[in-house]
């Protein structure tokens, strides 16, 4: 059986919130089968519970946030990406601020945190959302689509017309039948432009943004002294984001995702287009591992995810 997963123990981390610039404490707690990923704003009295839900997604301009009763948890996508990558189905996420800490701008610190807590397989079959027919969403020259596929792959292309980005590969395909989330995706950092950071900070946004949690560029070059972590780190980060955004539907997808110039807003729209077409998807599980597609066994069949 391909099983649901949670953590073995509670784990805690602190970091800076990208937008508020304040210290944020994050606590990840194991959860029972079929709980899903549930965020808790523990700084509110009473605490507010916000389950991962594509219809609760708000404010997709710079990050993906969830909103309920006028309160938010922002910047959930990198943590959601790490949870999807390690196959964590059930988790309570306590946070004492309106955003998840940005850490180093990638999902690698979340992966480290999850591995430190240990991953536990549960006595319930993992539920996948299988895409049965193609769905597509377009906005001008940006588009995103999902096609049926017995596994999970993502193909992304970007156009920035910036010398530092154009020097790198601007398209990539990641297929988890052969790629490893931890090795090939997790370390890709978010990126931004110096003039945007200055403008945002003068408007009270991105107050926690720095060279410690993003690739920052001026008009010509990358300003981070250490350079890039992957030769194609920019487009890889878009894949990392898409994995996190798509996981807000509550289940891993069995689908191939293709996107051009898309971002958080389009990733959310394609989930809504998919879910609203009842013919386009079904929830499946694999009681017998032999019945699971090889790509699913490769990604989720081991007791623990591959270490590299
Ligand atoms: Zn991101």
């Amino acid at each position: 059986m391909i099983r649901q997963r949670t953590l073995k123990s509670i784990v805690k981390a602190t970091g800076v919130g990208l937008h508020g610039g304040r210290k944020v404490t994050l606590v990840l707690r194991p959860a029972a089968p079929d709980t899903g990923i549930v965020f808790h704003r523990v700084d509110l009295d009473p605490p507010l519970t916000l389950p991962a839900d594509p219809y609760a997604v708000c404010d997709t301009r710079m990050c993906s946030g969830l909103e309920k009763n006028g309160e938010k948890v922002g910047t959930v996508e990198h943590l959601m990406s790490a949870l999807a990558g390690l196959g964590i189905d059930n988790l309570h996420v306590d946070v004492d601020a309106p955003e998840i800490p940005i850490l180093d701008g990638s999902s690698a610190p979340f992966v480290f945190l999850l591995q430190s807590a240990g991953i536990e397989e549960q006595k319930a079959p993992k539920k996948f959302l299988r895409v049965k027919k193609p769905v597509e969403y377009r906005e001008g020259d940006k588009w995103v689509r999902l096609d049926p596929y017995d596994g999970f792959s993502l193909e992304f292309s970007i156009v920035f017309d910036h010398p530092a980005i154009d020097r790198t590969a601007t398209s990539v395909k990641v297929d988890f039948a052969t790629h490893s989330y931890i090795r090939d995706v997790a370390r890709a950092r978010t990126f931004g432009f110096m003039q945007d950071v200055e403008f945002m900070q003068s408007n009270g946004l991105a107050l926690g943004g720095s060279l410690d949690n993003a690739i920052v560029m001026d008009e010509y070059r990358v300003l981070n002294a250490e350079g890039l972590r992957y030769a194609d780190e920019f487009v890889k980060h878009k894949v990392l984001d898409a994995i996190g955004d798509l996981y807000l539907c509550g289940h891993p997808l069995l689908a191939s995702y293709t996107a051009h110039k898309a971002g958080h807003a389009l990733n959310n729209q394609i989930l809504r287009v998919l879910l609203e077409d009842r013919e386009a998807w079904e929830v499946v599980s694999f009681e017998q591992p032999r019945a699971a597609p090889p790509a699913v066994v490769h990604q989720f069949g081991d007791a623990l995810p591959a270490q590299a």
Side-chain angles (χ1 to χ4, degrees), residues 13 26 28 77-83 85-86 101-116 181-190 212-213 229-230 233 236-237 240-241 307:
L26 180 73
L28 307 179
E77 64 272 18
H78 301 165
L79 172 59
M80 289 302 293
S81 185
L83 295 173
L86 271 65
I102 187 69
L103 304 178
D104 76 350
S106 77
S107 65
F110 294 115
V111 167
F112 176 77
L113 205 60
L114 298 167
Q115 290 184 318
S116 309
Y181 179 82
I182 299 173
R183 185 190 61 214
D184 300 318
V185 178
R187 294 174 64 244
R189 290 162 295 172
T190 192
D212 293 333
N213 51 41
R229 293 176 172 180
Y230 298 112
E233 189 170 358
K236 276 279 180 65
H237 186 79
L240 184 157
D241 276 341
Q307 294 296 305

Side-chain angles (χ1 to χ4, degrees), residues 155-171:
E155 197 169 351
F156 209 109
S157 53
I158 53 175
V159 178
F160 276 91
D161 199 17
H162 184 284
I165 298 178
D166 292 346
R167 254 200 300 279
T168 70
T170 51
S171 68

Side-chain angles (χ1 to χ4, degrees), residues 230-294:
Y230 298 112
D232 54 358
E233 189 170 358
F234 302 104
V235 71
K236 276 279 180 65
H237 186 79
K238 302 297 283 186
V239 168
L240 184 157
D241 276 341
I243 292 168
D245 288 340
L246 294 174
Y247 199 42
L248 285 165
C249 78
H251 302 289
L253 290 179
L254 294 180
S256 93
Y257 161 98
T258 321
H260 179 65
K261 295 179 70 176
H264 302 301
L266 265 70
N267 290 337
N268 186 243
Q269 287 301 330
I270 193 66
L271 279 186
R272 293 181 187 219
V273 169
L274 174 71
L275 294 174
E276 275 151 31
D277 184 348
R278 203 51 201 84
E279 310 257 281
W281 58 276
E282 64 182 348
V283 174
V284 298
S285 56
F286 303 102
E287 304 272 347
Q288 301 296 328
R290 268 179 302 172

Side-chain angles (χ1 to χ4, degrees), residues 210-232:
S210 78
L211 291 166
D212 293 333
N213 51 41
I215 307 167
V216 183
M217 286 160 279
D218 65 11
E219 282 172 63
Y220 309 103
R221 65 186 76 78
V222 169
L223 301 177
N224 305 61
E226 73 279 14
L228 298 181
R229 293 176 172 180
Y230 298 112
D232 54 358

